[in-house]
Amino acid sequence: MTLDEKTNSAQAAGVHRRPPLPRWLLGIGPLVLIAIVLGLFSLLNAPGLSKLSEGIPPKEEIAVEDIRLTPGQISITVRNEGPDPVAIAQVNVSDYYALFTQTRETMAPLESSTLAVEYNWVDGDPYEIALVTSTGGKILADIAAAAPSPERGSQFFGLMTLLGVYVGVIPVALGMLWMPFVRRSSGAWIRVLLGVTVGLLAFLALDATLEAVELVANNGAFGGSMVVFLGALTSYLVLEGTDAWMRRHQKPGGARPEALPPRRLALLIAIGIGLHNLGEGLAIGSAYAVGSLALGASLIVGFAIHNTTEGLAIVTPLAKEPPGLGWLGALGLIAGAPAVAGALIGATVYQPALSAFLLGIGAGAVAQVAIKLLPLLKDHQGKTFTALTNLGIILGLAVMFVTGLLVQA
């Protein structure tokens, strides 16, 4: 082939060369093919695999999510957390087969149904409930002491708002009154108080995680305890990303690169505590709504004492850079007001997986803030865990543990 022929061939190839496909199309293409394959697999009912399930009884796994009592009726909300459809055929209340209606005759996987059981229960009596499925399986639930569930009206929502103020806003505001004491403390005392703050936040993270895991211990729907750790990891990463973004936009020549500016650290602490109080308020509101929490003066005082220490955690980083009253008020609302929202949500749309997820979010948030506090514990020799800071951390854990005993319900 001559040189002219090679040149002509190359030019012809260039003319007929196709333009490259857009990158977004290359990314969507496999997703479309996967959807087509899965659709055909489902439409053809898993060709060749149908015999695997022959002779095997359906797997029935049902979780009881809510029980409400009104005069002459017991309402039970259940969710199918197994792989097969489930139908409730009978309801047995203390060896008595009661009449009932239900919102869904057959529950597909992850679907829920509310059963309205006609039964004249007696205030204060215990009851054993057995839900019998169409295949003869039994799902058991207990009522330790029957009591009428509160009506969800304006008075009820007002009570939940007041409850959130009592256990969230007021205690945090009272705890922030330690600001003058913190401002007049020496450097050694500041490190002790910062250690106390780390201990407080570490306790809140552990307590929220354990409470959330216990909440979904018998409920595997939506991943069970996995939602707790997903919530914690999500909030931790979001706060870390927010911190990184704020670091990139801060003015040069500020605080040490490993330590956050005091006001920003106080804001992060308030956000972390606020997310924790959101989950705490949700747990309190839902417990009261289902009749498992009796509100009394002693319990409210216990919550107030327990949560007052959160205000100290917010103001401690501001020892050397005191803000104005407006900024302190905003920090107090950020930390305490979510308890109000949590109580209202928990009293109206209670769902164990949602509650556990929100508690996990609070746990991850306070854990992230506790880690951010560690650089501030360093003394003049660069040591973080000294005798004073360790004493503060232990004291913070002890205070939260002892005051937590006052709110066991």
Side-chain angles (χ1 to χ4, degrees), residues 129-274:
I129 300 176
L131 307 179
V132 184
T133 67
S134 57
T135 62
K138 286 187 177 181
I139 298 93
L140 303 179
D142 293 325
I143 300 176
S149 300
E151 294 292 334
R152 295 172 179 173
S154 58
Q155 184 177 1
F156 174 75
F157 293 123
L159 176 61
M160 290 297 99
T161 302
L162 190 62
L163 173 61
V165 172
Y166 280 159
V167 304
V169 178
I170 292 178
V172 171
L174 292 176
M176 296 177 74
L177 295 178
W178 269 304
M179 183 69 184
F181 169 75
V182 173
R183 288 182 60 186
R184 296 187 181 183
S185 299
S186 63
W189 267 104
I190 293 297
R191 287 194 294 274
V192 172
L193 292 175
L194 288 171
V196 171
T197 301
V198 171
L200 298 177
L201 297 175
F203 183 92
L204 290 177
L206 291 173
D207 183 59
T209 301
L210 293 176
E211 183 178 351
V213 170
E214 181 182 1
L215 198 61
V216 290
N218 298 319
N219 191 328
F222 306 108
S225 59
M226 183 59 67
V227 299
V228 180
F229 301 102
L230 286 177
L233 183 60
T234 298
S235 63
Y236 185 92
L237 293 176
V238 167
L239 288 180
E240 279 289 333
T242 303
D243 175 48
W245 180 84
M246 294 173 72
R247 283 178 183 271
R248 286 198 305 269
H249 291 79
Q250 75 177 16
K251 296 180 180 179
R256 290 174 295 170
E258 72 275 11
L260 291 175
R263 292 198 179 195
R264 188 187 306 171
L265 187 55
L267 176 60
L268 285 178
I269 292 175
I271 293 174
I273 290 177

Side-chain angles (χ1 to χ4, degrees), residues 15-370:
V15 172
H16 295 288
R17 184 181 299 167
R18 296 179 180 178
L21 294 175
R23 188 175 63 175
W24 63 268
L25 184 59
L26 296 176
I28 294 178
L31 295 178
V32 174
L33 291 177
I34 291 172
I36 293 174
V37 171
L38 293 179
L40 291 174
F41 188 80
S42 176
L43 184 63
L44 298 176
N45 195 22
L49 301 180
S50 57
K51 294 183 178 181
L52 291 177
S53 59
E54 291 182 357
I56 299 177
K59 187 178 181 180
E60 297 178 333
E61 296 180 3
I62 295 180
V64 178
E65 292 188 345
D66 190 18
I67 299 178
R68 291 182 54 84
L69 284 78
T70 54
Q73 188 178 90
I74 302 175
S75 297
I76 307 170
T77 300
V78 295
R79 186 175 299 275
N80 178 16
E81 56 183 30
D84 299 316
V86 179
I88 303 297
Q90 295 176 327
V91 176
N92 184 297
V93 182
S94 296
D95 297 327
Y96 171 78
Y97 285 96
L99 298 175
F100 71 97
T101 59
Q102 53 188 327
T103 57
R104 185 174 278 111
E105 296 291 336
T106 302
M107 292 177 288
L110 296 182
E111 284 186 339
S112 65
S113 178
T114 299
L115 288 71
V117 183
E118 298 178 12
Y119 190 84
N120 292 316
W121 50 272
V122 178
D123 195 0
D125 285 359
Y127 293 97
E128 296 179 353
I129 300 176
L131 307 179
V132 184
T133 67
S134 57
T135 62
K138 286 187 177 181
I139 298 93
L140 303 179
D142 293 325
I143 300 176
S149 300
E151 294 292 334
R152 295 172 179 173
S154 58
Q155 184 177 1
F156 174 75
F157 293 123
L159 176 61
M160 290 297 99
T161 302
L162 190 62
L163 173 61
V165 172
Y166 280 159
V167 304
V169 178
I170 292 178
V172 171
L174 292 176
M176 296 177 74
L177 295 178
W178 269 304
M179 183 69 184
F181 169 75
V182 173
R183 288 182 60 186
R184 296 187 181 183
S185 299
S186 63
W189 267 104
I190 293 297
R191 287 194 294 274
V192 172
L193 292 175
L194 288 171
V196 171
T197 301
V198 171
L200 298 177
L201 297 175
F203 183 92
L204 290 177
L206 291 173
D207 183 59
T209 301
L210 293 176
E211 183 178 351
V213 170
E214 181 182 1
L215 198 61
V216 290
N218 298 319
N219 191 328
F222 306 108
S225 59
M226 183 59 67
V227 299
V228 180
F229 301 102
L230 286 177
L233 183 60
T234 298
S235 63
Y236 185 92
L237 293 176
V238 167
L239 288 180
E240 279 289 333
T242 303
D243 175 48
W245 180 84
M246 294 173 72
R247 283 178 183 271
R248 286 198 305 269
H249 291 79
Q250 75 177 16
K251 296 180 180 179
R256 290 174 295 170
E258 72 275 11
L260 291 175
R263 292 198 179 195
R264 188 187 306 171
L265 187 55
L267 176 60
L268 285 178
I269 292 175
I271 293 174
I273 290 177
L275 291 174
H276 173 268
N277 284 337
L278 174 67
E280 188 176 72
L282 189 139
I284 295 172
S286 60
Y288 178 72
V290 299
S292 62
L293 176 67
L295 295 180
S298 60
L299 187 64
I300 297 300
V301 170
F303 271 112
I305 295 174
H306 183 65
N307 290 348
T308 296
T309 52
E310 297 173 351
L312 174 63
I314 296 172
V315 300
T316 298
L318 300 172
K320 304 304 179 184
E321 191 179 329
L325 292 178
W327 181 243
L328 284 176
L331 292 177
L333 288 176
I334 290 172
V340 178
L344 292 172
I345 295 173
T348 51
V349 289
Y350 173 70
Q351 211 287 324
L354 174 62
S355 301
F357 181 73
L358 292 178
L359 284 169
I361 285 179
V366 293
Q368 189 268 351
V369 177

